[in-house]
Amino acid sequence: MSAFDNLNQHFQKIANFNHLAAICGWDAAAMMPAGGNDSRSKAMAELSVHIHGLKTESQLEDWFDKAESEQLDTDQQSQLREMKRNWQLSNVLPAKLVEAKSLAGSKCEHAWRTQRGENDWEGFVKNWKRVVELSIEEAQIRADILGSTPYDAMLDIYEPGVNQAELTKLFDEVKTWLPDLIDKAIEKQSSQSILLPTGTYSTESQKALGLEVMKLLQFDFNHGRLDESVHPFCGGVPQDVRLTTRYNEQEFVQSLMGIVHETGHARYEQGLPKYITGLPAGEARSMGIHESQSLFFEMQLGRSDEFITHLSKLANKHFAQHDSKIFEPQNLSRIYTQVKRDFIRVDADELTYPAHVILRYEIERDLINGDINYKDLPEAWDAKMQAYLGLSTKGNFTNGCMQDIHWTDGAFGYFPSYTLGAMYAAQFKASMAKDLNIGQAIESGDLSPIFNWLEQKIWSKGSLLGTNELVTQATGEALNAEHFKKHLTERYL
């Protein structure tokens, strides 16, 4: 057996354990009783250490050395590159740090689920302090290997090839035009009348509506399912994708578009190249590309006039006892494109969302680079919320610095992916529009031409291409934020 084959076999073994970890993680968020957290955390920590051990076994270095001298085709070379990157990302960390961070993250996240609702910053920070300390330790270890800043080293985990200098320049440019665009959109919408949802929208009816929308989006229910959790997410593995959303029986708006968003993630997972399933090259290219797919579904498709028309019909069907005027296409469109300065990122509209992301990016960058202390988080958050959205979160930790789940387990470097994803999504749609009539495809109810384009250009590529190469092949150019600005300007002005 060649060294390359040995590596393939070994990484398939790792994939099997990652499969179990993914399903256990979904269960902890969606199904597990609260009393199971302590034992589950220990089990997950031990599993993390075992997976880490597999990724750092001594013979891997020898196999990589030998495989690099073997005759490999282009795909195999890409597979080898991604396996080696995966190995290098893991090999720099001591097992004790991996275990400690897993335990600290599980403890912090579990407590956060209660502490956030109680506005308990003092209780939260006792656990979070340890998560931050371990994350900074990890970042410094990675930075020493890469010869980069600590934050760049963490960013590289989620967005290989992207650095903070590029991001800061990109986001600083967005800040030059976004506030004015938000002001003008709010002023334009001030004269529009919107009929907001009233009454009760049962969880059962909302779920039934969501499942029909997932069918319209051609989700493969033979390889996935929809459940509930405190924080909506898409987890599992490509062969068994687990989506979650949360329901509020006073309105249906957030859960419905949340399902559309998570279905975008899921369709990407289900469309990844099956012949290399389980191998790093068969995984999503980056978190930014992953977010581009969920945001393509939610923003580019989900808020289009043609898609809103489908939602109108389905909502009337499932909420027949309510005033049908609420579900008229024009009213639904206004609901889903309403611009409002608000506190919560996950509920933010498309236009103010980048401000939420930039705020988090700047804070986590400075935190991991040691420019601010973890104790400074509430003050830094309040200052930036006031600067970017004109809102104060002083004393409001629930809707301020405690609102996100990502930092509870040390996922620093992740937040930029959201706005990068929005930019990629706008660029993909602009390129797709040259090849097919997107509106006509949505209107017909058969979105296959759209999904075929995405599968051919994005999904089937997995990580065989680098991010810049993937985007350039799909659209004819590298990331160009002008497509995002144009999309927002045309939709809201």
Side-chain angles (χ1 to χ4, degrees), residues 292-304:
S292 79
Q293 299 310 289
S294 61
L295 292 173
F296 186 95
F297 273 56
E298 180 189 359
M299 301 302 182
Q300 305 295 335
L301 296 183
R303 283 169 166 75
S304 68

Side-chain angles (χ1 to χ4, degrees), residues 252-483:
F252 64 92
V253 175
Q254 294 297 333
S255 68
L256 180 56
M257 206 53 74
I259 288 173
V260 174
H261 179 97
E262 300 304 338
T263 302
H265 281 305
R267 287 300 317 274
Y268 182 26
E269 287 289 321
Q270 292 179 338
L272 290 169
K274 293 178 175 55
Y275 73 99
I276 46 175
T277 294
L279 297 176
E283 296 174 354
R285 173 58 266 172
S286 71
M287 290 312 304
I289 296 298
H290 225 311
E291 283 302 321
S292 79
Q293 299 310 289
S294 61
L295 292 173
F296 186 95
F297 273 56
E298 180 189 359
M299 301 302 182
Q300 305 295 335
L301 296 183
R303 283 169 166 75
S304 68
D305 291 340
E306 297 83 1
F307 197 84
I308 291 291
T309 299
H310 288 297
L311 294 186
S312 172
K313 295 174 183 176
L314 292 173
N316 268 305
K317 171 184 172 182
H318 289 281
F319 305 131
Q321 72 275 25
H322 290 272
D323 184 353
S324 62
K325 292 181 180 178
I326 294 172
F327 314 121
E328 288 181 354
Q330 185 183 56
N331 191 63
L332 270 185
S333 180
R334 288 179 175 178
I335 289 175
Y336 276 121
T337 57
Q338 186 178 22
V339 179
K340 180 184 178 183
R341 296 182 181 87
D342 212 340
F343 295 101
I344 306 300
R345 175 186 62 84
V346 295
D347 295 337
D349 58 84
E350 181 182 23
L351 195 50
T352 60
Y353 198 99
H356 290 272
V357 170
I358 293 170
L359 175 153
R360 287 155 175 79
Y361 159 70
E362 292 175 345
I363 289 176
E364 69 175 14
R365 175 198 63 195
D366 294 347
L367 182 67
I368 297 300
N369 283 337
D371 296 324
I372 62 172
N373 187 278
Y374 69 91
K375 296 177 184 177
D376 301 328
L377 179 60
E379 183 179 351
W381 191 287
D382 179 54
K384 289 182 183 296
M385 277 296 286
Q386 291 195 52
Y388 301 159
L389 290 170
L391 302 171
S392 175
T393 57
K394 189 172 183 178
N396 183 359
F397 310 112
T398 296
N399 295 329
C401 60
M402 284 179 64
Q403 67 180 266
D404 295 298
I405 196 172
H406 305 69
W407 287 346
T408 63
D409 64 355
F412 298 102
Y414 183 97
F415 276 119
S417 301
Y418 289 115
T419 292
L420 285 174
M423 292 176 175
Y424 289 132
Q427 187 163 330
F428 291 149
K429 186 181 180 183
S431 182
M432 184 187 294
K434 298 174 183 177
D435 299 330
L436 57 99
N437 189 321
I438 300 172
Q440 189 177 75
I442 301 173
E443 187 176 9
S444 73
D446 180 7
L447 279 65
S448 296
I450 294 169
F451 301 143
N452 289 341
W453 192 97
L454 290 172
E455 183 170 17
Q456 178 187 351
K457 305 278 189 177
I458 310 297
W459 302 347
S460 65
K461 305 299 183 184
S463 285
L464 291 168
L465 304 175
T467 305
N468 286 339
E469 189 180 3
L470 175 71
V471 174
T472 301
Q473 281 196 14
T475 68
E477 59 180 333
L479 176 62
N480 181 354
E482 283 299 311
H483 293 293

